[in-house]
Amino acid sequence: MPVNELRRMAANMDQHIQQLAAQGINDPHVIIDRMVGYLPDLHQIWIGTSNDQLIALCDVFPGFYRYALAMEDASQAERESPSRPYDDMVEFSEIHKQLAAQ
């Protein structure tokens, strides 16, 4: 992916974070909820940049950095969670198989 496209995505995230901050929204959980639509772009940046490029984007776009850090922290907390409310849920593919068999 072209660097200009990655910069555009980071800039959009940065702008949205700035808007949320202007509204007094600073709680990481609320930020994540409000920014969920940016997850595909964040993933593209994560896999499409070198470490140096990622650092540069974080330096230029502090809101992007804040969002990426909040997502990283949430991901780490999820991995370390001893139990998750969805662990015992049936996978969608299993539900689909059961419905198809009826």
Side-chain angles (χ1 to χ4, degrees), residues 16-90:
H16 197 159
I17 288 290
Q18 289 179 26
Q19 290 169 349
L20 293 174
Q23 296 170 17
I25 298 169
N26 297 302
D27 180 81
H29 294 95
V30 177
I31 289 170
I32 289 170
D33 287 345
R34 298 281 182 95
M35 297 284 292
V36 72
Y38 289 97
L39 279 174
D41 289 349
L42 181 61
H43 179 72
Q44 284 297 317
I45 291 171
W46 189 259
I47 65 169
T49 59
S50 67
N51 287 343
D52 290 340
Q53 290 170 323
L54 187 58
I55 290 167
L57 288 173
C58 290
D59 287 343
V60 173
F61 303 109
F64 163 72
Y65 171 73
R66 187 169 171 210
Y67 174 55
L69 187 60
M71 289 304 302
E72 185 177 56
D73 289 347
S75 179
Q76 182 66 30
E78 180 68 14
R79 282 191 300 274
E80 294 175 355
S81 178
S83 68
R84 296 170 293 244
Y86 53 82
D87 280 343
D88 294 330
M89 291 180 67
V90 178

